[in-house]
Amino acid sequence: MAFSADELRVLRRALAIALHPAPLPDEDVQDCLRLAGSVDETVGEAGRLRAFLLADLVRYRNALPGSLSGYLELLQDALAAGYDPRPEDLAALRALRGGPVAAALLERCQVLAERSVRARLAGRAVAATTPAPRSRLLALPGGRAAEPDKPKVPAAPPRPAAPSERPAPKPSEVFPPRRRPVPPPQQRAAG
């Protein structure tokens, strides 16, 4: 996650106020609330992207062996992002282990699956497939509640409400189909 310079300025002020509570101007409170909204939106977007990529992985796995190279690439990307291989992934890789990439991925997935099972048996929390929802920021120490005698300043006009759920994009919208290179036409010699 990357923050803009303005967002970092707001974050720095919010952290300073959390460490040393002091009354906040309404503008600072609004900045903090906007930053919290942006972070919530980013977390939600990351969850939707993860769900889309995992669904894409399942589609590629179901289309094996025709989608071998695409499946192996997606599985490598998913493993790098913290994906725990499922039994279906292990079965697919066992069927494909004739290739060096599939054999290496099978070894890696077996190690990761074993670690995951051991962690569950030991009672440790295993990373969930979707991020846990973060609670909303309801109050800031030293914010508006700290100054009840201050006259109310009219707030900025509310932004139009965005739709709460956007439909998930189709794979063809996010990843255009891969096209095979067309060989150049052969030139004929005159004569």
Side-chain angles (χ1 to χ4, degrees):
M1 183 182 309
F3 291 103
S4 71
D6 288 336
E7 290 171 332
L8 284 174
R9 180 183 50 79
V10 171
L11 186 59
R12 178 180 282 152
R13 274 196 330 243
L15 290 173
I17 290 168
L19 292 173
H20 305 287
L24 281 178
D26 282 343
E27 180 183 319
D28 288 350
V29 172
Q30 291 300 322
D31 288 344
C32 289
L33 291 173
R34 273 194 295 277
L35 179 62
S38 295
V39 169
D40 286 341
E41 184 179 329
T42 301
V43 168
E45 196 64 34
R48 283 191 288 276
L49 178 62
R50 180 178 171 86
F52 171 77
L53 291 175
L54 293 179
D56 209 24
L57 181 66
V58 169
R59 281 191 290 276
Y60 273 78
R61 184 177 55 233
N62 291 338
L64 285 173
S67 63
L68 176 65
S69 63
Y71 172 70
L72 295 177
E73 286 177 31
L74 282 174
L75 183 59
Q76 286 174 335
D77 292 344
L79 292 173
Y83 172 72
D84 282 334
R86 307 231 185 313
E88 301 87 24
D89 294 312
L90 294 172
L93 288 171
R94 283 187 192 107
L96 302 169
R97 69 177 155 213
V101 175
L105 268 176
L106 176 61
E107 277 185 45
R108 182 176 173 196
C109 286
Q110 285 174 332
V111 169
L112 291 173
E114 185 177 331
R115 271 191 216 149
S116 176
V117 168
R118 286 180 190 271
R120 277 183 276 178
L121 290 175
R124 286 184 265 155
V126 177
T129 56
T130 57
R134 193 171 71 84
S135 62
R136 297 288 303 157
L137 180 63
L138 299 177
L140 293 173
R144 288 187 213 166
E147 297 180 17
D149 299 335
K150 188 176 178 182
K152 301 279 183 181
V153 177
R159 296 191 304 186
S164 61
E165 287 282 329
R166 292 191 325 219
K170 297 179 199 170
S172 61
E173 294 171 345
V174 178
F175 303 107
R178 295 182 183 163
R179 305 213 188 279
R180 292 193 177 117
V182 178
Q186 295 187 5
Q187 298 176 356
R188 293 184 177 181

